[in-house]
């Protein structure tokens, strides 16, 4: 087999194994799988303490993930997920010090500041590191 042919076969095999980076970045199921990898799902909770939330991540059109310490709380929205995207900033409306199932999240345009829709939170599913993982 000639050297160029070997190169093309190696290139094709590598592309099949690695895959395009943009496909993983934009695929919500893959994003969620990467976040929960090595973690164990717990019993869904109705509320989490807002003051304990360290960070949040939007997975477009599906989910908001809240980080509290080393636990990720995955919230599959009850409605309005279509307004979740990278160009919108989630602004949460709470009653008290907790973020709860049925609270609303307004989506505000990151660049213009206008309202882009709203979503209603569902239950919070905790994902903790699996036993024996660092």
């Amino acid at each position: 087999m000639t050297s160029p042919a070997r190169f093309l076969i190696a290139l094709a095999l590598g592309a099949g194994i690695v895959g395009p980076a943009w496909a993983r970045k934009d695929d919500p199921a893959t994003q969620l799988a990467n976040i929960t990898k090595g973690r164990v799902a717990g019993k869904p909770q109705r509320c989490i303490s807002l003051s304990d939330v360290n960070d949040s991540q939007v997975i477009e059109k599906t989910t908001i993930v809240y980080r509290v310490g080393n636990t990720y709380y995955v919230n599959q929205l009850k409605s309005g997920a279509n307004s979740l995207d990278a160009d919108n900033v989630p602004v949460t409306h709470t009653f008290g010090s907790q973020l709860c199932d049925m609270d609303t999240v307004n989506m505000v345009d990151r660049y213009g500041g206008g309202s882009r829709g709203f979503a209603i939170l569902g239950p919070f599913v905790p994902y903790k590191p699996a036993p024996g993982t660092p």
Side-chain angles (χ1 to χ4, degrees), residues 36-112:
T36 59
K37 183 177 182 177
R39 297 179 170 276
V40 178
K43 181 180 176 182
Q45 297 179 5
R46 187 172 182 287
C47 299
I48 60 174
S49 174
L50 194 53
S51 64
D52 292 339
V53 173
N54 303 105
D55 194 14
S56 64
Q57 179 177 346
V58 171
I59 298 177
E60 290 197 22
K61 311 289 186 218
T62 62
T63 307
I64 301 176
V65 180
Y66 298 92
R67 184 173 61 85
V68 175
N70 68 350
T71 302
Y72 293 123
Y73 288 89
V74 174
N75 193 286
Q76 303 280 340
L77 302 175
K78 288 188 175 183
S79 69
N82 286 336
S83 62
L84 287 178
D85 71 37
D87 291 333
N88 298 329
V89 176
V91 178
T92 307
H93 295 274
T94 61
F95 301 97
S97 63
Q98 293 189 319
L99 191 57
C100 294
D101 183 1
M102 296 301 292
D103 282 346
T104 60
V105 178
N106 283 351
M107 302 308 292
V108 177
D109 183 90
R110 180 179 307 279
Y111 306 105

Side-chain angles (χ1 to χ4, degrees), residues 13-37:
L13 287 173
I17 293 169
V18 176
W22 57 265
R24 279 192 219 113
K25 180 181 177 191
D26 294 334
D27 178 19
T30 302
Q31 287 180 28
L32 186 57
N34 287 337
I35 290 170
T36 59
K37 183 177 182 177

